[in-house]
Amino acid sequence: MAKLGRRFYNQDTNQVARQLLGKILVRPTAAGILKGRIVEVESYLGKKDRAAHVQDEPTERTKVIFKKAGRVYVYLCYGVHWQFNITTTKDKPECILIRALEPVTGSEIMKDNRAQHSSIERERFNLKELTNGPGKLCQAFQINEDLYGEDLVNSDQIWINHQPDLPVDQIKTAARVGVNYAGSWADKKLRFYIQDNDFVSTV
DNA sequence: GCCGGGATCGTCT
DNA sequence: GACGATCCCGGCA
């Protein structure tokens, strides 16, 4: 299955967000290859978006968002959890947070990875708990600061494979999670997820 | 089952 | 010096 190219990431951010649903994230690791179907994402729309990280000028943390589309933006949340984002649109500092995946290949390795980061015993993880949240999927897929700035178009460490676009009636929209402080931007329907999918973090 | 709070630290004010 | 784009555990029902 073909790797998504620059043109895909260079579209309008909400368009990329919708089209990412159903696509396959591929992550080769030392223990084996991991694949997951993207089932939930959020758009962050640049300087005007009060929930977004970008300010007027790039900072050490946010500089990759200002570069060309299709790069990996990772950051540490609450001092504990990594969050995985993909940059879009070559002219705007916008990105998409990947909030949930459905395991496709390598779920036993994902279980190892999750157990390594937590005090929970390996056998207590069921399939659903491996990747149904932004911090969880980063544990399962070994996504951390090492991948900051990786180019999904050229990287051999992480990329996304094409799949047919989903029918629009399977895509649900909602307010984003955890951004109540963002004033009028808190209520905007910038979260997109696959209807009735078991791996979506919250409905 | 549901709810409340603690962990933990990089980033920006 | 304050604050999260979260996760997990414990307490209570």
Side-chain angles (χ1 to χ4, degrees):
Chain A
M1 199 58 74
K3 188 186 283 197
L4 294 176
R6 191 77 60 207
R7 245 181 326 182
F8 177 86
Y9 300 106
N10 230 343
Q11 305 175 88
D12 171 77
T13 300
N14 284 334
Q15 179 71 7
V16 178
R18 289 174 174 276
Q19 292 190 4
L20 275 174
L21 296 176
K23 303 291 190 287
I24 306 295
L25 178 68
V26 184
R27 168 74 168 135
T29 70
I33 195 160
L34 306 176
K35 295 185 186 180
R37 184 166 176 254
I38 298 171
V39 302
E40 181 182 359
V41 299
E42 287 177 359
S43 291
Y44 286 85
L45 301 182
K47 300 166 189 174
K48 63 181 184 292
D49 180 356
R50 286 192 50 203
H53 288 159
V54 292
Q55 312 289 322
D56 285 337
E57 297 302 320
T59 66
E60 198 54 29
R61 176 172 64 150
T62 62
K63 60 186 180 186
V64 72
I65 308 174
F66 290 79
K67 296 188 178 174
K68 66 184 172 188
R71 299 285 191 111
V72 174
Y73 167 48
V74 290
Y75 77 96
L76 193 59
C77 181
Y78 295 97
V80 184
H81 301 286
W82 291 99
Q83 309 276 295
F84 172 44
N85 299 253
I86 295 169
T87 67
T88 61
T89 64
K90 74 182 155 205
D91 299 320
K92 298 180 193 170
E94 301 184 350
C95 64
I96 296 168
L97 170 68
I98 307 300
R99 283 193 54 86
L101 301 171
E102 175 178 340
V104 172
T105 301
S107 61
E108 291 303 311
I109 300 170
M110 296 178 204
K111 206 181 277 191
D112 291 337
N113 292 341
R114 289 275 284 126
Q116 203 168 25
H117 285 90
S118 119
S119 58
I120 300 173
E121 303 157 42
R122 185 186 185 285
E123 299 313 318
R124 288 193 51 205
F125 283 105
N126 60 40
L127 189 63
K128 191 171 166 177
E129 292 166 332
L130 293 177
T131 52
N132 66 338
K136 298 175 187 179
L137 71 89
C138 285
Q139 289 180 10
F141 276 67
Q142 292 186 13
I143 295 171
N144 55 44
E145 74 268 39
D146 294 341
L147 292 181
Y148 185 91
E150 275 294 302
D151 187 344
L152 292 165
V153 175
N154 300 315
S155 177
D156 57 3
Q157 297 192 75
I158 188 165
W159 65 87
I160 298 175
N161 278 347
H162 182 265
Q163 289 286 310
D165 288 343
L166 295 175
V168 280
D169 62 5
Q170 284 185 30
I171 299 177
K172 298 275 285 178
T173 63
R176 293 172 293 182
V177 176
V179 296
N180 292 334
Y181 60 87
S184 64
W185 282 87
D187 301 323
K188 293 189 189 294
K189 307 270 192 186
L190 294 175
R191 184 157 67 100
F192 306 89
Y193 60 93
I194 301 178
Q195 183 165 32
D196 298 327
N197 184 282
D198 281 344
F199 296 86
V200 170
S201 66
T202 59
V203 181

